[in-house]
Amino acid sequence: MNMASMHSTICILSLFLILHFSTSHASSFTSKPTSPATLCNSTPFPFFCKSVLPQNQSATIYDYGRLSVRRSLATTSNLLSLVNNYLRFRRGLSETTILALQDCQLLLGLNIDFLSNSIQTIDPTNTLQSSQAEDTQTLLSAILTNQQTCLDGLQSTSSSPSIKNSLLTPLSNGSKLHSVSLALFWHGWVHETKKGRWLTERKQIFSDITLGRNGHLPLRIPRRDRKILERGSGRKLLQTDVDGVKVSQTVVVNPDGSGNFTTINDAVAAAPNKTKAGKGYFLIYVVAGVYEEYVSIPKNKYYLMMIGDGINQTVITGNRSVVDGWTTFNSATFAVVGQRFVAANITFRNTAGAIKHQAVAVRNGADLSAFVSCSFEGYQDTLYTHSLRQFYRECDIYGTVDFIFGNAAVVFQNCNIYPRLPMQGQFNAITAQGRTDINQNTGISFHNCSIAAADDLASSSGTTQTFLGRPWKEYSRTVYMQSFMDSLIDSAGWNNWSGDFALSTLYYAEYDNTGPGSVTAKRVTWPGYHVMNATDAANFTVSNFLLGDNWLLPTGVPYHGDLL
């Protein structure tokens, strides 16, 4: 047995023991009242947990779980009030500090929503349907991500000591409390079948859904909207299959004034708020052209669909960057938060260039969102898969350093990954996954994708090391399955972040890949690196990792649920 195989065997055994321990303890926790000390030992922060749960009492894990989530909500509300006060009296604050505080304002507001929804779900019952448990675990995972993003943003600014002293400690303690809430939820409400899923092969067959003609989504266009689309380039959209996605209203964006709006932002503002399930998508058709706009899809815009005329035809572009004073979070050309968002046939660009370092083309924090036949173009930090559940199909993604990053549960399927030529002295890292907690249901999965050098890298005379990823956070999780890797991939496969940070807690894995860069004989021998078998790989498919069969069908986005 070689060293890599030995590490893989040890880690699989360790994973089995951890999961067996979690499952058996979950059963004992739920059967009778338990002391806080016993419960807290099952969380990542036992001493902190014991300081917040009432002592000298015994109750069920459900009682303590509800209490912890409620305390998370109260703590978040207090933090948001503190941030709002700083923004209300902002005299003397630097512009970067104000931007970081505004990021926190948005993220903490989302956390209040997520915690409130979680309380509504767990308050009435000790038993949840598997889909309800998955939804709540997703929200509690995103709460931790949002808190960490706020913390990271403030730490990277030149904030005054008074702001850092008053915010960083409560933010850090808030993250620990959220982690305790997530752990108690995991042990109490998450189904035993979910906990055992990582060790049990699920043999299910799902059909592939195909796109309509010309690569567009199949759409059902209401008769009243067809006259709008029959003008000019809107005619192309009508050539698609009319069976499929339900659309409630269609508007056209065209800068020449022939559509309903001349800007994308005006069309987004016109979309109804909090559309109910079953009402259909508000479809924004963006005709070919270059749109120099910073577009944001806010949290109250549900079921919004945006379709362009194709990659390099409909282009949304900007050039914000960290070097020019923006936070990474707010450097995005296109940002989406509203759940159930779908985009197709659009190019998203950040043209700041490699010299401007972090410069995001798209930041996605929209639950149950999907992009199909889109292109994402940038250098460092191109695509920020920030949080919640996301799916990308038949997309092209260009970048250099950490150009696919974040802490969503995300699957890339049939996508083309194009590392570009970085600045002199830099290496390429395709991913920097940001999972901070062992109980978060997040990670990056590449399935049936292709990795090849972009034209500038392919034609360069120098040597650029290109890695599959590196661990941005302690429990970083990324897998590549049944994908093609060209010779540009370094034989080690993966790179470290700083010394031995996260090398034993990360989960990096490969399964059944092809191409000259896929050979695993000289891969890293970290404890957290694995060459998976089919049973383990099945956990990271669309059907299992995203539960995509529950939500992708109504989008009309094509997908394959299982391994090929």
Side-chain angles (χ1 to χ4, degrees), residues 104-141:
C104 290
Q105 187 179 51
L106 169 64
L107 293 162
L108 294 172
L110 289 171
N111 280 359
I112 288 174
D113 295 341
F114 295 165
L115 286 162
S116 299
N117 289 340
S118 298
I119 289 169
Q120 290 177 9
T121 300
I122 65 176
D123 258 5
T125 180
N126 294 347
T127 305
L128 297 177
Q129 296 178 357
S130 59
S131 60
Q132 290 178 303
E134 186 78 15
D135 289 346
T136 304
Q137 187 186 5
T138 296
L139 293 180
L140 294 175
S141 296

Side-chain angles (χ1 to χ4, degrees), residues 1 182 302 325 411 508:
M1 179 183 292
L182 176 59
Y302 304 168
V411 175
Y508 286 168

Side-chain angles (χ1 to χ4, degrees), residues 106 110 265 268-269 271 273-274 295-302 304 335-339 363 366:
L106 169 64
L110 289 171
N265 278 306
V268 170
N273 295 331
K274 297 186 177 180
V295 179
S296 180
I297 313 298
K299 67 179 183 180
N300 61 341
K301 303 294 183 180
Y302 304 168
L304 195 152
V336 54
V337 180
Q339 60 184 269
R363 185 192 80 234

Side-chain angles (χ1 to χ4, degrees), residues 278-318:
K279 291 291 185 180
Y281 283 93
F282 183 86
L283 171 62
I284 300 175
Y285 171 54
V286 186
V287 304
V290 177
Y291 296 81
E292 295 182 359
E293 294 187 56
Y294 295 97
V295 179
S296 180
I297 313 298
K299 67 179 183 180
N300 61 341
K301 303 294 183 180
Y302 304 168
Y303 289 96
L304 195 152
M305 181 178 287
M306 190 174 295
I307 296 183
D309 271 326
I311 291 174
N312 294 327
Q313 298 301 309
T314 298
V315 179
I316 304 174
T317 184

Side-chain angles (χ1 to χ4, degrees), residues 499-514:
D500 62 358
F501 169 74
L503 302 188
S504 60
T505 51
L506 59 77
Y507 186 93
Y508 286 168
E510 301 176 52
Y511 169 73
D512 194 25
N513 297 306
T514 59

Side-chain angles (χ1 to χ4, degrees), residues 36-37 40 43 45-55 67 71 173 176-177 180:
C40 285
T43 72
F45 300 100
F47 292 107
F48 183 84
C49 174
K50 292 170 188 175
S51 73
V52 296
L53 292 187
Q55 300 300 305
L67 174 63
R71 288 195 171 178
N173 287 338
K176 292 177 182 177
L177 179 56
V180 169

Side-chain angles (χ1 to χ4, degrees), residues 72-94:
S72 286
L73 178 59
T75 297
T76 303
S77 297
N78 290 336
L79 267 171
L80 181 57
S81 296
L82 192 57
V83 169
N84 286 339
N85 283 336
Y86 277 118
L87 287 172
R88 190 176 297 115
F89 307 104
R90 61 177 64 185
R91 181 177 298 176
L93 298 181
S94 68

